[in-house]
Every structure is written in C-alpha cells, then in structure tokens.
Amino acid sequence: VANLAVSSMADCLSDYGVQTPEKRIKALENLKGYLTEPTAVAQVNYVLGDLYWNQMRDIEKAKTFFQSVANSESKQLYPLANEALTRLVSSQE
C-alpha cells in the first residue's frame, strides 16, 4: 500500500512540472515531512535513495537512504534496500 501511495504521490508531483531530479528530491523531502506511517516514510526514503544513486550519482546520500530503509520496520522493503546497498558497494569497487 505504501508503494502505491508513494508512486501515486510521485506521479502527482510529475503532473505539476516537477521534472528535474533536484525538484523531485525536494518535493519528496517535503512530502516525507507530512508522513507518519513508518512504512510510507521508508518507501519515500527508498525512492530518494534511488534518485540520489541513479540520477544524481551521489553514492553517499543514496547509501544513507538505503541504510535507513534497511533499518526501518518495513519487512517488504528490507530486501530491496539490502540489494541496493550490495549493488552500491560493488559499484564502488
């Protein structure tokens, strides 16, 4: 459910002209400030980690977001975050 909610919110952001990665990151950070459900926060953090890694090429920030997801209460996102962290580490070698 959190994945669908975050995807829907990200789609809404895109509809309002949030095209650049920087603007998407800022909008998602703002959105995260309104969320109280830990799984939804973890989902936003996962999307932010992906944006920092694949669009901004900021490995350290991406790693921080993926680690927060791996340490969250979300059992569904743990494997995804752990896989992303593994790929991040291997890409740095």
Side-chain angles (χ1 to χ4, degrees):
V1 173
N3 184 24
L4 291 173
V6 170
S7 294
S8 179
M9 288 181 253
D11 289 344
C12 288
L13 293 174
S14 295
D15 291 344
Y16 289 105
V18 182
Q19 303 295 331
T20 66
E22 293 87 355
K23 287 182 180 179
R24 285 193 77 199
I25 287 169
K26 183 174 177 159
L28 287 167
E29 286 284 1
N30 288 337
L31 169 67
K32 194 168 70 166
Y34 293 102
L35 300 175
T36 58
E37 170 59 42
T39 303
V41 172
Q43 183 66 42
V44 170
N45 283 339
Y46 183 80
V47 172
L48 285 166
D50 188 61
L51 282 168
Y52 274 111
W53 183 18
N54 293 306
Q55 304 227 349
M56 303 297 292
R57 305 290 188 236
D58 189 332
I59 302 298
E60 289 307 310
K61 282 190 180 180
K63 189 175 182 182
T64 300
F65 280 107
F66 288 138
Q67 285 172 332
S68 73
V69 174
N71 294 324
S72 73
E73 298 174 14
S74 177
K75 302 213 183 308
Q76 296 85 3
L77 291 173
Y78 175 82
L80 296 173
N82 198 33
E83 179 184 335
L85 285 167
T86 301
R87 288 185 297 155
L88 268 175
V89 170
S90 66
S91 72
Q92 289 180 308
E93 295 175 353

